Every structure is written in structure tokens, then in C-alpha cells.
Amino acid sequence: MKRFKIWALLALALWAATAAQARSLDEVQKSGKIVIATEGQFPPFNYFQGAKLSGFEIEVAELVAKKMGLGVEWKALGFDALLAGLRQDRWDLVIASHGVTEERTRAVTFTAPHYCSGGAIVSLDPAIRTVADLNGKLVSVQTGTTYLENVRKLSGVKEVKNFPQDTDARSALVSRRVDAWVTDKFVAAIAINANPGAGMKLGDFVFIERIAAAVAKGNQSLAQGYNKALAEAMTDGSYAALSKKYFNEDVRCK
Ligand code: ARG
């Protein structure tokens, strides 16, 4: 029995020593750069302009990092891999339009929100505008998103088709494989403007959400350092300038 306890303790110590440990604010600052993961397929928030990551969130994160005295090393991955990688300490922070939900809050620590928005209905049929209009309809959404979660809750919807990328969910609508696409309101507005010939129309919100970056669960020092710098950007006009550039309005949570 005694021997068993010793082995159990040793095993535990070994596990603790090898388990991925999130880098604290101090450690990140000592290294001079923060490793940030995003998706890169969600314009205008995070997308590729040629080989370069661009978008509102990319610029917000770079602005915040600069105020923290840090350079940024970017990683781009599938949406599904992003929050899981925080637990494995593969990157320090994720910024990819994640809505703050109870379920996600159990797995990661969210920062203060960098914008407020919601999932909205997009359709080619002017008769499909409201949640009630989705009754008996096929709806496309991106896998792993709050759009999927919230559309699933609508009992009248005939079927929710999910796609690894939001742009594929959009294509499904444009090619009439579904009746409606549910996505972020600003993503929808920009897709509609960029493809005037497609005939997409913006309908009502299905739900609203606060969008924030995330760090590994319990990495309070890094979250606080980020929040302080974000708050500065929100008061000194630099956040407002970025928001105006991308949306022609201020998208911060009111
Ligand atoms: N706001 C939605 C969510 O919280 C969608 C985010 C999608 N982000 C992306 N980079 N594709 O799940």
C-alpha cells in the first residue's frame, strides 16, 4: 500500500512537470512576443489578403500587443482547433470572433470583448427574414460556432447543414443548396456588398453575443495585461479609428 502511494505520487509529480503550462504575462513579456492563433477565413474580422493575415481582429490584436510592448507571431488554423490549442499551450491567445458562452467559459478564460454582434439570417428569398420564416427550411452554418448551437435550438428548422468554413456555408446559400445562412451580422453585410449579383438579403438577428479573445483557462495575468491595453485603445481613439475603417461605425459593446 505504502509503495503504491509513493508510485502514485511520483506519477503525479511527473505529470505535473510535463503538462503544458500556459505562459504568464511575465514570461510572454520576457520573450518579447505573443503567439496568437486565428482562423483567417472570416472576413472582415480575420482573413488572408494574399499571404498576409488581415482584418479588424488582426489589427486590434496587433494594436493591443503593441501597447503591451510585444510583437506578434501569428498562427492560422481551422476554427475547431483554436480553443483546444490553448490548453495544449500551442499559443498564448486566440482571436477569431468567439462569442462568450457558458460552455466555452468552462474551458478557457475570455478577455474583455472587442466587439458586440450577433448571428443574423441571410437569404436569397425576401420571404425568409425572421426566425419564424425559418420553419421547415434548410439552414447553413459554420461547424463549431454559436450559429450552429443557436439554430439547432429552433425547433421548426428542417435541417441545419454545417460546414468547416463560414465561406462554404455562404456558398451553400448562393448555390441554393440551403434556404438561409446564419452568420455574423457584419460578415453578412460585407458579403452582401461584395457580391451584389448574388441576391443575398440580410434578415433579423437570431441571437446577439459579445465577442472576445481567449487565453488558457486561469491565465489571469495575461488576460489582465491584454484587457488593460485594450481599454487604453478604446479610450485613446485608436480602436475607434480601426472600427471606422472596417465598419464605418463603432462596434464596441455598449
Ligand atoms: N461568433 C461565432 C462563434 O462564436 C462564429 C465565430 C466564427 N469565427 C471564425 N473565425 N470563423 O462561434
Side-chain angles (χ1 to χ4, degrees):
M1 188 60 191
K2 205 167 173 190
R3 186 168 290 174
F4 171 77
K5 266 193 190 156
I6 290 168
W7 278 113
L9 274 175
L10 271 175
L12 193 70
L14 193 69
W15 174 82
T18 54
Q21 183 71 53
R23 298 200 301 163
S24 65
L25 177 63
D26 240 28
E27 289 167 310
V28 172
Q29 256 155 354
K30 268 185 201 120
S31 79
K33 66 175 189 202
I34 182 165
V35 184
I36 308 185
T38 189
E39 184 199 32
Q41 308 292 343
F42 201 55
F45 293 105
N46 59 79
Y47 59 97
F48 280 94
Q49 209 155 32
K52 195 182 172 320
L53 269 174
S54 322
F56 178 66
E57 290 185 301
I58 306 301
E59 292 206 49
V60 166
E62 283 183 345
L63 176 64
V64 169
K66 195 167 168 206
K67 288 193 185 293
M68 295 169 80
L70 299 169
V72 178
E73 179 183 332
W74 284 104
K75 306 245 186 237
L77 292 106
F79 184 70
D80 261 3
L82 296 171
L83 295 185
L86 286 174
R87 190 192 297 257
Q88 299 148 357
D89 199 30
R90 293 174 64 199
W91 34 82
D92 302 306
L93 184 129
V94 166
I95 190 159
S97 287
H98 284 91
V100 178
T101 67
E102 235 181 271
E103 198 188 335
R104 288 171 178 165
T105 301
R106 274 185 240 123
V108 300
T109 293
F110 279 106
T111 66
H114 55 284
Y115 74 96
C116 266
S117 187
I121 299 167
V122 187
S123 175
L124 306 179
D125 177 352
I128 304 178
R129 294 190 54 85
T130 68
V131 169
D133 298 336
L134 295 178
N135 267 336
K137 298 292 190 277
L138 295 179
V139 181
S140 66
V141 294
Q142 182 182 19
T143 312
T145 60
T146 49
Y147 316 130
L148 174 61
E149 186 186 321
N150 284 277
V151 174
R152 259 195 192 143
K153 284 188 203 150
L154 307 176
S155 53
V157 167
K158 183 172 171 201
E159 198 186 332
V160 192
K161 295 206 177 277
N162 62 89
F163 297 84
Q165 292 184 4
D166 191 59
T167 44
D168 298 326
R170 178 184 75 203
S171 302
L173 172 67
V174 173
S175 59
R176 300 179 185 274
R177 282 174 284 150
V178 296
D179 304 299
W181 164 42
V182 171
T183 189
D184 181 89
K185 177 190 115 176
F186 297 108
V187 170
I190 270 162
I192 291 169
N193 277 335
N195 306 280
M200 291 185 279
K201 285 165 194 66
L202 186 58
D204 289 355
F205 275 129
V206 177
F207 65 99
I208 54 167
E209 60 182 354
R210 300 160 75 78
I211 306 289
V215 297
K217 179 89 185 157
N219 193 352
Q220 299 301 346
S221 67
L222 188 59
Q224 278 160 16
Y226 175 99
N227 287 346
K228 186 168 163 271
L230 177 63
E232 267 170 47
M234 283 187 166
T235 49
D236 71 8
S238 50
Y239 172 94
L242 277 183
S243 185
K244 188 160 174 36
K245 166 178 165 188
Y246 281 93
F247 308 104
N248 212 19
E249 66 178 286
D250 199 311
V251 298
R252 79 183 70 194
C253 299
K254 309 245 152 56

